Amino acid sequence: MSPSRMRVGFIGLGSQGGPMARRIVGAGHPTTLWARRPATLEPFAGTGAAVAASPAELAAASDLVCVCVVDDAGVREVVAGEKGVLAGAAEGATIAVHSTVHPDTCRRLADEAGTLGVAVIDAPVSGGGPAADAGRLLVMAGGEPETVERCRPVFAAFADPVVHTGPLGSGQVAKLLNNLLFSANLATAATALGLGRALGVDAAGLAEVVSRGSGASFALDRVASGGGTLDRIAAHAGGLLRKDVGLIAGIAGAAGAEPGAVLDAADAALGLMGHKR
């Protein structure tokens, strides 16, 4: 079967995974789905996507299994647990971990999968459900170049660009560094707008000025759209950002690498959001 017609299995049909899977189905790839919650399968009724009774059954019908569950424990359970992906995957299959997890989780799974002739790549995504719907997610893929290239036609159904970041685990590190910098930028944007208010500058006007100047950032736009505070971001993403900043801080510490000012600023953002790590 040519790469453009790979059989794809998809696990994790949440707010981001659901649109990703719909794009894969819409691109014409034979697709099999598995979900703990039957409700997440309802949007796929009538699409031609098959439904498996277990991750193992899904893997047996797939050349590429995409995993987009919430955390490390969830990834490990659906891949290596009882009736997991590795229990059904055939030699030559590939598992793509789209979840944002510790790179060591991907490396350990790759060691287990390798004994079965199954490849693993880490391919976390950024952009959210709307970007997935539009086919504009960013994929950061770590793994063997030929494996990433084999998966690229499938990823192209929901992503642009797909960036190969290096060896297995590097995609996760790239995603965590992105979220670390985003967190840091939230702190500097929120405090800059707050300083402007204290100095008598209209907050909305200042936000427009900076967004059109050299201090512009995605984080500034998010803070400005939230009324100049981090309250809305804290409610929706504070816990996830705390997880990701904690992960990259731990990875840096284990490697003996000094994060510097970016971690200080990210910690400041977490404190402002009430999500100190």
Side-chain angles (χ1 to χ4, degrees):
M1 182 174 293
S2 69
S4 63
R5 296 291 297 169
M6 288 178 78
R7 299 174 303 156
V8 182
F10 205 100
I11 299 173
L13 303 171
S15 60
Q16 188 161 248
M20 291 166 66
R22 287 195 292 273
R23 294 281 303 195
I24 292 170
V25 174
H29 298 283
T31 305
T32 303
L33 310 172
W34 178 82
R36 285 191 180 87
R37 295 180 294 116
T40 62
L41 295 168
E42 291 175 1
F44 295 90
T47 65
V51 176
S54 68
E57 182 180 299
L58 174 146
S62 304
D63 304 304
L64 168 64
V65 176
C66 298
V67 178
C68 195
V69 297
V70 174
D71 55 19
D72 295 70
V75 169
R76 177 145 195 91
E77 181 181 355
V78 300
V79 174
E82 185 180 1
K83 295 184 180 180
V85 170
L86 292 181
E91 184 176 357
T94 300
I95 300 168
V97 179
H98 295 302
S99 312
T100 301
V101 296
H102 197 292
D104 284 348
T105 296
C106 300
R107 295 181 184 119
R108 293 188 188 105
L109 290 174
D111 288 342
E112 295 177 47
T115 66
L116 303 171
V118 175
V120 173
I121 63 173
D122 61 313
V125 296
S126 182
D133 270 327
R136 295 197 313 269
L137 276 179
L138 165 63
V139 172
M140 297 145 273
E144 292 297 325
E146 59 271 22
T147 308
V148 173
E149 288 307 307
R150 190 163 61 247
C151 299
R152 189 179 290 273
V154 175
F155 297 164
F158 56 78
D160 183 17
V162 177
V163 182
H164 183 215
T165 54
L168 182 69
S170 65
Q172 298 294 345
V173 174
K175 172 66 182 291
L176 292 171
L177 287 170
N178 176 78
N179 288 4
L180 174 69
L181 184 57
F182 173 64
S183 300
N185 289 345
L186 287 175
T188 55
T191 54
L193 293 180
L195 180 59
R197 284 193 297 271
L199 297 176
V201 181
D202 176 72
L206 177 60
E208 182 176 2
V209 166
V210 178
S211 70
R212 295 172 181 269
S214 58
S217 70
F218 178 79
L220 174 75
D221 293 341
R222 296 301 91 211
V223 175
S225 69
T229 76
L230 297 179
D231 294 346
R232 188 171 73 183
I233 296 169
H236 292 288
L240 288 174
L241 291 175
R242 177 175 59 193
K243 171 185 75 75
D244 290 351
V245 171
L247 279 174
I248 195 64
I251 292 167
E258 176 55 54
V262 67
L263 180 58
D264 294 336
D267 279 338
L270 295 178
L272 290 170
M273 290 189 287
H275 285 276
K276 287 185 179 181
R277 65 183 178 92

